[in-house]
Amino acid sequence: MSGESTTRTAPVSGGAGRSPAGGRTGQRLSGLAVALGLVLFLGGFGWAAVVYRPYTVPTSSMSPTIGMGDRVLAQRVDGDEVRRGDVVVFRDKTWVADAPVVKRVVAVGGDTVACCTNGKLTVNGKRIDEPYLKGGVAEIQGFPTVKVPEGRLFLLGDERQGSLDSTAHLTDAAKGTVARGDVSARVDAVIWPAEGMLERPTGFEALGPLSQPGPLRVIVALIVAGGVLVLAGGAYGPVAKRLGRPRTRTEPAGAR
C-alpha cells in the first residue's frame, strides 16, 4: 500500500474557540442598528399618523394641481394657521352636506378679492401670479368684487371654469366665504400618483407670509433611514458568517 497516494483537506485557519461571525462587537453593533432602525421606522409612521390625514379628491375641480381620484396627504392644522395660497380641506354644510371639500385659499378676512384684471385674479388691488394653473385661464365670468369678512376665507378651485367654489355661493349669506374654523387640514403633497410636495404659491408673498411646508420630508427621511438600518443590521450576521467561513485546501497525506 506504500505506492498509494491519498489526499486530505485541512482548514486554512480556525479553531474550537472561534468567536461568532463578525465578532462580538460586530454582533452588538448590528443589533443596535436594527433596534435604532425600528425606532426610526415605526416612529416615522407614528408621527405621520398623528400629523397627517389621507384624502381622495373625488372631482377635477383642483386640476391640474390635483387630479380627480388623486390621493393626497393633508397636515392637520387649526384654521387660524391658514394663509393665502394654501390648499385646504374643510367642511361646510352649505357647500356639501356630509363630505370634505378641497379648495385653494385666495383671500382671507379683510381682503378684497376680484377677477379679473388682464386675465389675473386680484387681491387688495394686486394682480396675483398663479403658476399652479399651468397656463389655465384664471378669468371667471360674473365674479364681482368681494370683501372677505374677518375670520373667513375665500376659496377657488384651480380648475377655474368648472369648480363649484366660493364663486358658486356668492348669493349665500356668507357671500361664498368659509369660516376658518371649518378648516381641518392643509394639503402638503400628492402621494398617488406620486407627484410629491405641492409647489409654493409665491404669487401671494407680497400680501403677507406664506405657510411653511409640514414635516413630511423629515418623516420620509426617518422612515427611509430606519428601513436601511434594519436591513443593514439584519444582513450583517449572514454576510459576516459567509465571509468568515473557513477555506479548505488539499494536501498529500504524507506531506507532514
Side-chain angles (χ1 to χ4, degrees):
M1 304 290 291
S2 59
E4 236 175 66
S5 177
T6 62
T7 62
R8 61 184 177 184
T9 61
V12 172
S13 61
R18 179 189 300 275
S19 57
R24 292 181 180 177
T25 300
Q27 292 291 321
R28 288 173 181 170
L29 289 176
S30 67
L32 180 62
V34 170
L36 179 59
L38 286 173
V39 169
L40 295 177
F41 189 79
L42 298 177
F45 275 107
W47 188 7
V50 171
V51 175
Y52 286 96
R53 291 189 63 184
Y55 292 92
T56 299
V57 178
T59 71
S60 61
S61 67
M62 283 301 295
S63 175
T65 305
I66 305 171
M68 183 171 62
D70 285 2
R71 193 78 166 164
V72 301
L73 273 184
Q75 182 185 4
R76 302 170 195 257
V77 297
D78 186 82
D80 291 337
E81 300 176 53
V82 174
R83 301 288 183 267
R84 302 176 190 88
D86 289 347
V87 177
V88 298
V89 181
F90 66 95
R91 289 178 182 269
D92 188 313
K93 292 181 179 179
T94 64
W95 288 45
V96 179
D98 190 25
V101 182
V102 179
K103 301 293 180 188
R104 187 182 296 274
V105 176
V106 297
V108 299
D111 287 346
T112 299
V113 57
C115 191
C116 293
T117 301
N118 295 331
K120 290 188 177 182
L121 181 77
T122 63
V123 180
N124 299 336
K126 177 177 175 55
R127 285 180 292 176
I128 306 299
D129 290 323
E130 300 181 275
Y132 44 78
L133 297 180
K134 308 295 185 186
V137 179
E139 186 172 358
I140 305 165
Q141 298 296 329
F143 178 10
T145 299
V146 176
K147 176 76 171 180
V148 183
E150 291 295 337
R152 301 189 71 85
L153 307 167
F154 196 88
L155 306 105
L156 298 177
D158 286 357
E159 204 293 282
R160 296 291 162 83
Q161 298 300 311
S163 175
L164 296 177
D165 47 35
S166 287
T167 61
H169 297 271
L170 292 174
T171 58
D172 296 349
K175 297 182 179 179
T177 63
V178 172
R180 281 184 176 271
D182 291 338
V183 174
S184 60
R186 179 173 54 226
V187 177
D188 241 7
V190 178
I191 57 173
W192 185 260
E195 296 182 2
M197 304 287 287
L198 296 189
E199 62 185 62
R200 306 308 299 153
T202 54
F204 294 92
E205 282 183 313
L207 299 173
L210 304 179
S211 296
Q212 296 302 309
L216 185 58
R217 286 192 175 95
V218 177
I219 290 173
V220 171
L222 289 177
I223 293 173
V224 171
V228 170
L229 284 172
V230 169
L231 292 175
Y236 175 81
V239 171
K241 184 176 181 180
R242 183 176 182 83
L243 294 177
R245 184 177 298 166
R247 293 167 297 173
T248 58
R249 55 186 173 85
T250 59
E251 58 182 16
R256 297 184 181 181

